[in-house]
Amino acid sequence: MQQHNVLILDFGSQYTQLIARRVRELNIYCEIHPYNKIPENLNDFKAVILSGSPSSVRSDEAPHPDLSGIRGKKPLLAVCYGAQYLAHFSGGLVAPSNTREYGRANLSFVKDNEDFFKNISVGSQVWMSHSDTIKNLPTGGTLLASTHDVENAAYKIEGETTYAIQFHPEVYHSTDGKQLLQNFLVTIAGVAQTWTPSSFVDETVADIKAKVGNDKVVLGLSGGVDSTVAAVLLHKAIGSNLHCIFVNNGLLRKNEFTDVLKQYEGMGLNVKGVDASARFLDELTGLSDPEAKRKAIGKVFIDVFDDEANQIEDAKWLAQGTIYPDVIESVSVNGGPSATIKSHHNVGGLPDFMKLKIVEPLRMIFKDEVRRVGASMGIDKDLLGRHPFPGPGLAIRILGDITSEKVRILQEVDAIFINGLKEDGLYNKVWQAGAILLPVNSVGVMGDERTYEKVVALRAVESTDGMTADWVNLPYEFLQKTSNKIINNVKGVNRVVYDISSKPPATIEWE
């Protein structure tokens, strides 16, 4: 499959991950690498895409990679900053735009008989996001498309399979963006559309067998989609050498520890339940900072696994259900220029004292891809449809310090909210939902008495892969019923609010 890979060079654009999403939707595997760490073996890649960037090519600090191993040797698509980069350093002219070109635009000119714009015509909507503009095309450049405000919206370089566009085909607002990517990758670059869930399973199982051999692997199960799919993949590869452990960190949803253990009965997996709730809550005592809480949970998570792994003779690997958004949000992509948002408890390696090596079969795929892989292996659709739940659990949904009483309150609130979504047929219309316990009290009146109790926020979002998300417009009747039920049944709460923030600028979780 390597000869059909696509390389995406990341210049720090907020949209770089969306390029990868769109390429994979075409059943083409791609990888993101930073512009300053181009892979040495370019033979693994059939085509290359240059991302956008918040930088200006006119700046002395602008990304300036050596493309000598790519230009004229590989089919190349340059997006936004990439298009300006090729123009600026190849005989063209890039200058500040009179007005910042941002938002929707429509193609006003498209060159006839160009495979690059096959099935795309004048009037097609595109998305602009740049403050510089290409005044003159680079040496050998031929104009392919324009908008009303941007003359050089797309061009190609004669004598090369090099194409450049000023707009972003990867975003939803570029209505024919997927078609354009298909034109470039499939029609022009000849990349095969062979990356499917089944092919991923076959390659990953073979990969695990080659990597792990006859070694024993310890896997942390959470009951969620990611760890379950990872477990089934590993089980296919190594069978009884996989030892699954489900840890109760005291921060799970109501009754989740027992429910999850029952869920795995009959799946053929070797699962052990470990109740370490007191250990986690003790470590969290007095901690309010979200990063401190994540790191504390990560520490105990590793300690518990070290203890359990030592009870498994010859265990040499720790498997995790890490997926691509976890990696992207924890560190810049492969050490590239994208900004760190927050750390994840299962990303970043193991301490020196722990002798286990890491295996992460899902590390390079997105949440929706994980679900498709799981479905191809016959995993129950209800399990695959389960909402994502953060690794640190309710610790990052309790703002401020953690106490057992706060955990109790949030578990009760969360159970009412999630069960209500299921009862009203709304659960499968939501990508992720949960409740957040706020670090404030508010005045209320219950009967003839004044109360001064906790505030909870309900959160429900729709998304494809967690990289972007929008709040769900839940029916007022449902919110009213849920609010009343929470206030009347959960001691310690007298006010319920609903979060209507999108990601970006907010994140799905509050911490």
Side-chain angles (χ1 to χ4, degrees):
M1 294 293 292
Q2 287 186 330
Q3 68 270 26
H4 299 300
N5 291 350
V6 171
L7 170 63
I8 300 171
L9 291 183
D10 178 20
F11 289 92
S13 169
Q14 62 177 317
Y15 299 135
T16 301
Q17 293 80 30
L18 290 181
I19 300 176
R21 291 290 306 110
R22 297 296 172 258
V23 171
R24 292 183 182 191
E25 286 172 4
L26 295 170
N27 292 332
I28 295 172
Y29 181 71
C30 60
E31 293 180 3
I32 299 172
H33 291 260
Y35 74 89
N36 55 353
K37 293 184 181 179
I38 298 174
E40 291 183 9
N41 188 5
L42 291 172
N43 291 330
D44 288 350
F45 301 99
K46 183 83 170 177
V48 180
I49 298 176
L50 307 182
S51 83
S53 174
S55 302
S56 167
V57 294
R58 299 177 296 103
S59 167
D60 292 338
E61 290 78 34
H64 187 9
D66 177 9
L67 299 180
S68 59
I70 297 172
R71 279 282 304 270
K73 300 172 183 176
K74 299 277 183 184
L76 176 64
L77 173 60
V79 176
C80 197
Y81 177 89
Q84 295 177 359
Y85 178 85
L86 293 183
H88 183 70
F89 291 104
S90 302
L93 176 64
V94 176
S97 177
N98 292 331
T99 58
R100 191 168 189 269
E101 297 164 346
Y102 183 86
R104 295 174 178 85
N106 297 93
L107 298 179
S108 58
F109 161 75
V110 175
K111 193 173 187 295
D112 292 334
N113 302 316
E114 282 290 338
D115 285 342
F116 189 63
F117 279 100
K118 182 180 179 181
N119 297 325
I120 302 173
S121 58
V122 169
S124 177
Q125 180 177 287
V126 296
W127 183 264
M128 297 287 186
S129 181
H130 56 96
S131 54
D132 287 344
T133 194
I134 300 170
K135 295 292 187 181
N136 298 328
L137 295 178
T139 303
T142 298
L143 182 65
L144 296 183
S146 306
T147 67
H148 177 73
D149 294 319
V150 181
E151 179 183 1
N152 297 312
Y155 65 86
K156 69 177 180 181
I157 296 179
E158 299 296 338
E160 303 178 14
T161 314
T162 297
Y163 293 79
I165 49 178
Q166 184 61 84
F167 54 90
H168 289 270
E170 67 272 23
V171 303
Y172 171 79
H173 305 292
S174 288
T175 52
D176 292 314
K178 186 176 180 180
Q179 179 67 54
L180 185 141
L181 289 171
Q182 180 174 322
N183 291 344
F184 171 71
L185 292 171
V186 180
T187 304
I188 294 171
V191 182
Q193 295 175 278
T194 52
W195 192 68
T196 63
S198 294
S199 70
F200 175 82
V201 170
D202 292 342
E203 289 178 30
T204 303
V205 168
D207 234 17
I208 294 169
K209 286 180 178 178
K211 185 176 186 179
V212 174
N214 292 320
D215 294 346
K216 292 181 181 177
V217 178
V218 185
L219 168 66
L221 280 174
S222 69
V225 177
D226 303 334
S227 65
T228 301
V229 174
V232 175
L233 276 168
L234 284 156
H235 184 71
K236 276 180 169 287
I238 62 174
S240 60
N241 278 343
L242 173 65
H243 295 259
C244 300
I245 297 171
F246 176 49
V247 177
N248 181 9
N249 60 9
L251 302 161
L252 302 175
R253 286 173 160 160
K254 185 177 180 181
N255 301 326
E256 189 168 20
F257 185 55
T258 54
D259 290 347
V260 166
L261 289 175
K262 288 180 182 178
Q263 184 181 49
Y264 287 117
E265 290 179 4
M267 287 186 68
L269 300 176
N270 176 22
V271 183
K272 177 183 179 182
V274 179
D275 188 354
S277 53
R279 196 167 170 180
F280 279 90
L281 291 174
D282 286 347
E283 191 73 25
L284 287 166
T285 300
L287 297 181
S288 297
D289 178 76
E291 278 297 287
K293 289 192 287 187
R294 286 177 182 271
K295 292 183 187 306
I297 290 169
K299 174 184 177 297
V300 180
F301 177 83
I302 294 298
D303 290 344
V304 170
F305 264 83
D306 190 44
D307 291 345
E308 294 301 321
N310 285 332
Q311 297 179 37
I312 301 170
E313 189 177 354
D314 296 328
K316 295 182 179 178
W317 296 84
L318 172 64
Q320 299 186 135
T322 308
I323 63 172
Y324 211 12
D326 297 340
V327 177
I328 293 167
E329 290 193 344
S330 291
V331 294
S332 55
V333 179
N334 288 330
S338 299
T340 295
I341 298 172
K342 59 188 176 184
S343 66
H344 285 257
H345 80 288
N346 58 342
V347 177
L350 296 172
D352 292 338
F353 73 81
M354 198 167 182
K355 305 305 180 185
L356 297 180
K357 295 175 285 186
I358 289 284
V359 56
E360 295 170 317
L362 307 177
R363 185 179 177 87
M364 295 301 290
I365 63 175
F366 293 91
K367 176 70 75 173
D368 58 316
E369 294 171 331
V370 173
R371 287 195 168 102
R372 290 201 294 272
V373 167
S376 76
M377 295 189 295
I379 296 175
D380 184 82
K381 64 179 182 180
D382 289 336
L383 196 156
L384 292 176
R386 189 178 185 222
H387 289 179
F389 187 64
L394 299 180
I396 59 168
R397 292 183 178 177
I398 298 172
L399 307 194
D401 66 317
I402 310 295
T403 66
S404 57
E405 174 62 9
K406 289 180 180 179
V407 172
R408 180 200 65 80
I409 289 173
L410 193 55
Q411 284 177 332
E412 296 292 339
V413 171
D414 180 85
I416 291 172
F417 184 31
I418 297 300
N419 290 336
L421 289 170
K422 292 177 178 177
E423 290 165 4
D424 283 33
L426 296 169
Y427 186 82
N428 291 330
K429 298 178 181 179
V430 173
W431 191 78
Q432 183 172 344
I436 298 93
L437 184 65
L438 305 187
V440 293
N441 285 22
S442 73
V443 174
V445 177
M446 290 187 178
D448 294 326
E449 295 184 4
R450 174 186 181 276
T451 63
Y452 189 59
E453 295 179 330
K454 295 294 182 185
V455 181
V456 293
L458 305 182
R459 179 80 157 138
V461 299
E462 53 188 0
S463 180
T464 299
D465 51 37
M467 299 305 299
T468 60
D470 202 2
W471 62 279
V472 177
N473 190 5
L474 293 175
Y476 286 142
E477 294 80 5
F478 171 79
L479 291 173
Q480 180 184 45
K481 178 174 64 175
T482 302
S483 174
N484 288 342
K485 195 168 185 179
I486 290 170
I487 291 172
N488 288 331
N489 289 276
V490 182
K491 184 180 179 181
V493 175
N494 68 358
R495 191 177 299 268
V496 178
V497 299
Y498 187 53
D499 181 352
I500 58 170
S501 308
S502 298
K503 175 186 179 180
T507 54
I508 295 175
E509 300 292 342
W510 282 38
E511 290 190 342

